[in-house]
Each structure stands twice: as structure tokens, then as C-alpha cells.
């Protein structure tokens, strides 16, 4: 009986190499199960206050979340901003996970022309 690690005879693989190989496979598996964060984004410029709920991997750039939400509401993403329920502005140049940790999952999308943009 010959012991094998991932199909390779044990005598030809050092324990360190075998463990590193196993760790790489485990990390790859874990990355495919990336942690997601869920946002409820409300369009404040509409009196009916429609909202969209979206779950994205926490490593997603928040600018992509902003762009997607704006397109879903049919407002121009380049002239839109995200604010919290208490009215604080959100810097979109972070990951979705960082935004979620700092501001929570309930956010508001507001076209910049509604908050004093020069257009």
C-alpha cells in the first residue's frame, strides 16, 4: 500500500508541498462561496419610493453597485449619488462590504440634480 496526496505518491512530495497544495484548493473553494452583502436601495426622487434589493459579493466595487442600481431605476448613473437614511453621503470608491459595514444595508439613490448639482 502506497500513500498518496492528491494522486501523487507520498515519497515524492514533501509534507509542506502537500499541505500548501491542499490549502490552495481550499482557498479556491472558499472564494467561490464569496460572502455576499445585501442592500435595499430606495429611489428618493420618486414619490412612490420604489426600491430594489440586491445581493453582491462583498468585494464588489460599490461604484458597480451604484451603476447597476441607477440603471435599474432608469436614472443616469454618472449624475447619481447614494446617501444613508439619515442623509449622510456615501463615498462609492470603496467595496460593497466596506459600505455595508459603515452604513448598513438600507441606502437611498438620489439623482444629483435633486441635491444641488450644476446641470
Amino acid at each position: 500500500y502506497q500513500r498518496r496526496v492528491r494522486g501523487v505518491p507520498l515519497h515524492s512530495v514533501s509534507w509542506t508541498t502537500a499541505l500548501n497544495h491542499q490549502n490552495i484548493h481550499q482557498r479556491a473553494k472558499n472564494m467561490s462561496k464569496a460572502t455576499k452583502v445585501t442592500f435595499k436601495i430606495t429611489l428618493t426622487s420618486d414619490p412612490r419610493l420604489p426600491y430594489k434589493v440586491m445581493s453582491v459579493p462583498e468585494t464588489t466595487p460599490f461604484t458597480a453597485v451604484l451603476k447597476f442600481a441607477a440603471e435599474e431605476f432608469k436614472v443616469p448613473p454618472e449624475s447619481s449619488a447614494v446617501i444613508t437614511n439619515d442623509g449622510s453621503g456615501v463615498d462609492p470608491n470603496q467595496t460593497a462590504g466596506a459600505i455595508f459595514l459603515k452604513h448598513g444595508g438600507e441606502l437611498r439613490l438620489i439623482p444629483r440634480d435633486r441635491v444641488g448639482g450644476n446641470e
Side-chain angles (χ1 to χ4, degrees), residues 5 8-9 11-13 22 31 34 40-41 55 68 70 72-73 85 87 97 106 117:
V5 175
V8 178
H11 64 82
S12 65
V13 176
Q22 195 170 18
M31 288 176 78
K40 176 185 174 187
I41 301 179
S55 293
F68 181 77
E72 286 290 303
F73 288 120
N85 282 339
E106 290 199 28

Side-chain angles (χ1 to χ4, degrees), residues 42-50 114:
T42 304
L43 181 63
T44 55
S45 61
D46 187 331
R48 296 173 293 157
L49 297 175
R114 303 282 178 158

Side-chain angles (χ1 to χ4, degrees), residues 59-66 82 89-96 98-99 102-103 112:
T59 56
T60 303
F62 195 73
T63 52
V65 176
L66 170 61
V82 173
V90 174
D91 177 13
N93 297 317
Q94 304 171 64
T95 64
I99 298 287
K102 288 178 188 174
H103 304 289
R112 287 224 173 119

